[in-house]
Amino acid sequence: MKLSGSQIIIECLKKEGVEFIFGYPGGAVLHIYDALFGDKKIKHILTRHEQGATHAADGYARACGKPGVVLVTSGPGITNCVTGLATAHMDSVPMIIISGQVSREYVGSDAFQEADATGITRPVTKHNFLVDSRESIAEVFKKAFIIATTGRPGPVLIDIPKDLTDPKVKINFEHPKKVKLRSYKAPISESKSKIDEAAKLLASAKKPMVYAGGGVILGNAHKELAALVKNIGYPITNTLMGLGCYPATDNQFLGMLGMHGTYEANMAMHDCDVLLAVGARFDDRVTGDTSKFCPSAKIIHIDVDPSSISKIIEVDLSLVGETSKILRDLNKAVKPYLKNINKSALKRWWTQIDKWRTKKCLSYKKSKTIIKPQSVIETLYEITKGDAYVTSDVGQHQMWAAQYYKFDKPNRWINSGGLGTMGFGLPAAMGAQLAYPKSEVICVTGEASILMCIQELATCLQYRLPIKIITLNNRYMGMVRQWQEFFYEGRYAMSYMEAIPDFVQLASSFGHIGIKIEKPSELKSKLQEAMNLKDRLVFVDIITDQEENVYPMIKSGQAHNEMHLSPTGKDTELA
Amino acid sequence: MDEKRHIISILVENEFGSLSRIAGLFSARGYNIHCLNVAPTNDESISRMTLVTFCNDQKIKQLAKQLDKLIDVVNVKDLTEETHIEREMLLLKLKCNKNQRDEIKRLTDIFRARIIDVTDTTYTIELTGATEKILAFIESMGKIKIIEMVRSGTLGISRGIDSLENIK
């Protein structure tokens, strides 16, 4: 078969089962766009900004597990993708970014819309390629998909000069069945003896704790995790990225841990004697002060990425490999040791945990006059029966969504945990909605975050994406203001949002429906009304309590048992 | 923890951008590069880098893992973990008047260096050896004016039959 470079690209994408491309055309990719014109198999989603395209592809990948594909032009096209790439890279999301480059003869000459795409994106991609010949296109695409989707996933960029996509030049095309990747290491598998050692250590615990993160979701290991946790009867906490990898409504679940984690999860972390970490990377928002992290615990760490082991916290036993396989093996290996578990110690541990639970650390002061942001998420959870895909932006609303929406299934909670990218929520929701057109997709956001990618409302209209945007509008960059209240004596430098648009009118000017909610009494009925508009995007602007803070909170440099549960100060009560 | 000198040998795909990936990793993660040498190997698809860095034990383990994670890196080894040989080459251009010539020649012989270029006013000397020897030679020049100094950076190879190339 004789094909042009552009046609080869499209063929390669089809062979990989790509159904959507998120992108924005421009000079250097016009040949590719022409080859894509009228294609029946691949649907191109035209976003209104390249950043939107990367977040949308990212949201798609996080929701359905398949790699998200982005197509952008050279120069500003690719530089606009940098934030989206860094976001995906930090959270290990599989993505393929195809960027046009100026023709080879102009590379390096400061040509119009030229940027060193591979140079700029090197630190924010798992790998990147600059294609140097027509003959290598198919091989590069095959390699890119393998690299993006295996091991610890991540975004891979393919930069392709315009002359290589010229429709007039055709070459023989054969899709490579195999490619040589000698320097790319497949995850190793751990020896039986090491897994056995871990099983023995796990069963020896008197105060065990399981700490599971986003790696469980990325590695599709939630079933294996639940099987093991149920089998051993230990308490479990999730990181922000791991929410949904273990059912939040299960009694063994202690909630999220870390800076804004629950009292019971953080206290149990501090006091545990054996910690099983699965697909988590000991992020600073999780550990607090590392020198006071789990001071009396032996730590077992399961991860697909060897460089995650002992990166922040020195662990006692590491199991590197596919999370699902290791959990399965560990569950088998632990069976003969189950009888060794000190039942009465475990019972005492659970009694202690239940005592911590009575703190009801997520309770908040209800109000009849002003809408409490926490109550919005609780109501949303109630209306959607906990089964929606929820994306978020970054800030207080993100933490409240994580705390109050109880995720029972993986891939339902989609947020920029690592990079903390404001503007992520709306485009990510577009990706999730395209992956699951019949499901409810909600973007929980704030009045500051939503403005960072507001242009994507036009994309939502073009493709009739019935997302529900829930804006917790407190007229502040809430998390910035909270930090300024705590650490800068209430000097709210630049965190007050003046000149906020009328979101109802804004939504309607984009062809959507806007609803404003101001009274607690109408919260439920109006939210329900919004959710009932099944085939429309509804922008719900909710005026919330301006100075509400996110609790619990561990301030930087403090330990898990030094949480603040209220404005009055620390709660270090140890049982 | 104490910082120690490590010689890291890296086999990389002889591809566009490999060097900048490695250099970028060092700057992004805050590791230092004391010296660096890159050249092709007998397998033309592979280049070998030898890099000297100072770090503590915890950091060096993490560094090796991060290097290994780069897609272009075929193999990584810390040569200082086992018996190895290291060499460096020095090219030194000295300004010398008639009175200094004999002294320089004598020092060159003592260090088993070679004079490889001579003009009316200069000597250029080549010396190969471990870094300590190179440093000792430079120090022995005393007040003699150094016009230009070029060092290859450390090269290293393990003793015995071990090879970085057959571990992959």
Side-chain angles (χ1 to χ4, degrees):
Chain A
M1 189 166 35
K2 286 220 159 207
L3 295 179
S4 70
S6 297
Q7 290 169 320
I8 292 173
I9 293 171
I10 309 296
E11 277 310 303
C12 288
L13 294 178
K14 283 183 184 165
K15 294 273 189 219
E16 301 291 346
V18 172
E19 40 178 358
F20 295 107
I21 295 177
F22 300 87
Y24 205 105
V29 283
L30 284 180
H31 293 326
I32 305 174
Y33 269 88
D34 197 48
L36 195 59
F37 187 72
D39 194 280
K40 295 279 186 303
K41 278 200 180 140
I42 299 180
K43 190 170 182 194
H44 181 277
I45 304 297
L46 175 71
T47 57
R48 296 307 190 266
H49 191 299
E50 288 89 351
Q51 183 181 349
T54 48
H55 292 330
D58 184 327
Y60 169 83
R62 291 185 205 226
C64 71
K66 288 186 257 181
V69 178
V70 176
L71 174 59
V72 293
T73 194
S74 61
I78 184 58
T79 57
N80 275 343
C81 289
V82 171
T83 301
L85 285 170
T87 305
H89 188 52
M90 277 289 251
D91 291 343
S92 310
V93 179
M95 263 164 63
I96 302 287
I97 293 82
I98 306 158
S99 59
Q101 181 55 277
V102 298
S103 291
R104 282 175 298 174
E105 56 178 312
Y106 298 116
V107 168
S109 71
D110 298 324
F112 176 65
Q113 292 198 326
E114 182 186 355
D116 174 12
T118 49
I120 291 170
T121 62
R122 198 163 287 135
V124 293
T125 51
K126 184 173 174 186
H127 194 61
N128 59 23
F129 295 93
L130 173 57
V131 184
D132 60 2
S133 72
R134 235 170 234 96
E135 289 69 25
S136 64
I137 295 176
E139 194 187 313
V140 165
F141 270 76
K142 181 97 184 169
K143 282 183 183 174
F145 273 90
I146 293 172
I147 292 168
T149 55
T150 56
R152 181 175 179 172
V156 177
L157 175 125
I158 303 168
D159 196 35
I160 180 154
K162 186 173 182 180
D163 59 307
L164 295 180
T165 60
D166 186 344
K168 293 192 292 293
V169 189
K170 297 194 175 183
I171 58 161
N172 268 324
F173 167 72
E174 212 184 316
H175 193 252
K177 287 194 178 66
K178 262 198 202 159
V179 284
K180 208 174 97 193
L181 268 170
R182 64 174 159 187
S183 50
Y184 184 61
K185 289 111 195 154
I188 52 167
S189 55
E190 285 296 357
S191 64
K192 242 184 142 171
S193 65
K194 225 171 150 192
I195 291 188
D196 197 63
E197 201 185 325
K200 214 189 282 178
L201 177 57
L202 204 56
S204 73
K206 291 194 175 82
K207 296 193 259 175
M209 185 69 171
V210 181
Y211 144 58
V216 176
I217 296 171
L218 290 162
N220 205 14
H222 57 282
K223 285 198 187 108
E224 288 81 358
L225 176 73
L228 174 69
V229 171
K230 281 279 141 198
N231 199 10
I232 53 182
Y234 289 176
I236 176 170
T237 178
N238 280 170
T239 67
L240 177 67
M241 294 307 298
L243 293 175
C245 81
Y246 188 87
T249 51
D250 186 86
N251 194 46
Q252 278 168 257
F253 186 66
L254 307 192
M256 182 172 76
L257 84 163
M259 183 174 272
H260 295 296
T262 65
Y263 186 71
E264 50 271 30
N266 285 335
M267 292 302 282
M269 285 295 287
H270 189 81
D271 280 12
C272 72
D273 66 349
V274 173
L275 178 71
L276 175 66
V278 191
R281 60 184 178 87
F282 299 84
D283 178 82
D284 56 284
R285 288 296 195 265
V286 159
T287 59
D289 184 347
T290 50
S291 66
K292 300 175 195 160
F293 178 78
C294 297
S296 38
K298 289 252 182 226
I299 303 176
I300 306 165
H301 188 188
I302 300 173
D303 208 286
V304 73
D305 177 6
S307 74
S308 278
I309 307 295
S310 297
K311 184 173 81 171
I312 310 286
I313 300 285
E314 195 71 38
V315 299
D316 299 277
L317 187 65
S318 64
L319 301 173
V320 176
E322 298 285 359
T323 322
S324 55
K325 186 182 181 301
I326 291 185
L327 284 170
R328 216 178 301 127
D329 292 349
L330 185 59
N331 200 12
K332 250 183 250 161
V334 84
K335 282 200 178 117
Y337 298 111
L338 288 178
K339 58 179 188 310
N340 301 1
I341 292 180
N342 186 333
K343 300 266 159 34
S344 60
L346 188 60
K347 205 176 160 204
R348 276 200 302 278
W349 181 229
W350 273 112
T351 310
Q352 173 62 70
I353 289 168
D354 286 336
K355 209 166 156 195
W356 286 326
R357 277 174 164 162
T358 59
K359 278 264 175 209
K360 297 204 177 304
C361 67
L362 292 180
S363 62
Y364 58 95
K365 224 175 170 179
K366 307 259 181 344
S367 164
K368 283 198 168 127
T369 51
I370 182 83
I371 298 173
K372 290 285 181 178
Q374 300 94 327
S375 71
V376 177
I377 309 294
E378 284 180 329
T379 313
L380 207 56
Y381 175 76
E382 209 180 298
I383 293 173
T384 57
K385 301 181 180 66
D387 205 29
Y389 286 83
V390 180
T391 73
S392 93
D393 277 302
V394 171
Q396 286 185 321
H397 67 268
Q398 178 190 25
M399 291 301 115
W400 285 317
Q403 288 174 330
Y404 294 90
Y405 199 97
K406 299 189 262 305
F407 294 92
D408 277 343
K409 294 176 192 165
N411 308 89
R412 301 298 166 112
W413 168 237
I414 295 169
N415 82 128
S416 167
L419 196 70
T421 308
M422 290 168 75
F424 174 80
L426 174 57
M430 300 182 336
Q433 188 77 78
L434 284 160
Y436 297 108
K438 295 206 172 89
S439 299
E440 283 179 330
V441 177
I442 296 166
C443 168
V444 175
T445 182
E447 82 288 353
S449 281
I450 191 65
L451 287 175
M452 285 214 186
C453 268
I454 194 73
Q455 75 286 346
E456 298 308 330
L457 282 175
T459 312
C460 294
L461 182 70
Q462 183 170 348
Y463 301 99
R464 310 284 157 186
L465 303 176
I467 297 160
K468 304 296 176 281
I469 298 170
I470 308 295
T471 306
L472 303 182
N473 185 344
N474 58 4
R475 286 81 69 211
Y476 276 117
M477 292 164 204
M479 192 57 92
V480 173
R481 189 209 54 76
Q482 178 167 342
W483 280 54
Q484 288 170 333
E485 179 189 325
F486 289 175
F487 308 119
Y488 300 90
E489 295 163 330
R491 293 185 298 277
Y492 295 161
M494 292 300 135
S495 57
Y496 182 65
M497 296 293 289
E498 275 176 286
I500 296 170
D502 179 332
F503 287 116
V504 173
Q505 280 192 49
L506 180 140
S508 100
S509 78
F510 272 100
H512 302 299
I513 299 168
I515 296 178
K516 188 171 188 170
I517 312 180
E518 287 178 279
K519 291 192 206 104
S521 59
E522 53 183 25
L523 177 65
K524 193 170 178 187
S525 61
K526 284 206 170 172
L527 266 181
Q528 184 68 62
E529 181 192 330
M531 295 308 297
N532 286 349
L533 293 160
K534 297 271 181 223
D535 54 349
R536 295 295 298 273
L537 182 147
V538 186
F539 194 121
V540 189
D541 181 22
I542 306 174
I543 307 302
T544 58
D545 190 351
Q546 247 191 318
E547 300 203 358
E548 187 69 18
N549 289 321
V550 180
Y551 291 108
M553 180 171 181
I554 300 173
K555 294 183 181 173
S556 29
Q558 291 183 328
H560 278 152
N561 62 346
E562 298 174 299
M563 270 163 288
H564 297 251
L565 295 185
S566 67
T568 51
K570 272 194 208 175
D571 194 313
T572 50
E573 183 198 323
L574 291 158
Chain B
M1 267 193 280
D2 288 344
E3 291 199 335
K4 277 197 300 229
R5 178 171 175 268
H6 297 268
I7 305 171
I8 313 288
S9 281
I10 309 163
L11 294 182
V12 291
E13 298 282 352
N14 190 0
E15 264 173 28
F16 178 84
S18 296
L19 173 62
S20 80
R21 280 180 217 285
I22 289 167
L25 177 90
F26 273 75
S27 64
R29 296 202 180 260
Y31 306 127
N32 63 71
I33 299 179
H34 179 69
C35 64
L36 170 68
N37 176 287
V38 197
T41 63
N42 51 329
D43 175 348
E44 62 180 29
S45 67
I46 286 182
S47 289
R48 180 161 176 145
M49 287 188 190
T50 311
L51 192 150
V52 175
T53 183
F54 290 84
C55 21
N56 63 37
D57 291 348
Q58 198 260 342
K59 227 173 169 183
I60 196 75
K61 271 190 219 152
Q62 183 55 217
L63 194 160
K65 283 194 252 183
Q66 292 293 348
L67 281 169
D68 211 29
K69 200 159 107 172
L70 294 176
I71 311 292
D72 284 343
V73 170
V74 181
N75 215 338
V76 183
K77 195 169 177 114
D78 181 356
L79 283 181
T80 33
E81 270 180 3
E82 55 187 57
T83 56
H84 65 281
I85 300 158
E86 52 176 285
R87 289 289 181 273
E88 188 176 342
M89 183 187 266
L90 167 77
L91 298 176
L92 200 61
K93 193 181 284 181
L94 302 168
K95 190 172 169 130
C96 48
N97 56 36
K98 281 211 176 88
N99 306 334
Q100 293 168 316
R101 292 204 163 214
D102 284 350
E103 173 64 5
I104 294 172
K105 178 72 176 82
R106 205 161 34 241
L107 284 166
T108 304
D109 291 341
I110 292 169
F111 278 89
R112 291 194 202 133
R114 292 196 300 150
I115 297 170
I116 53 173
D117 187 48
V118 181
T119 69
D120 288 351
T121 51
T122 66
Y123 266 170
T124 301
I125 299 169
E126 172 197 324
L127 172 64
T128 305
T131 301
E132 300 83 56
K133 182 175 168 181
I134 303 282
L135 293 175
F137 181 68
I138 295 166
E139 207 184 312
S140 74
M141 290 298 112
K143 284 188 178 143
I144 296 161
K145 165 94 174 137
I146 295 171
I147 300 171
E148 203 173 1
M149 179 163 87
V150 186
R151 289 169 66 179
S152 64
T154 302
L155 301 176
I157 196 163
S158 60
R159 282 190 186 272
I161 196 153
D162 275 359
S163 156
L164 207 53
E165 267 149 83
N166 56 32
I167 310 173
K168 66 185 176 229

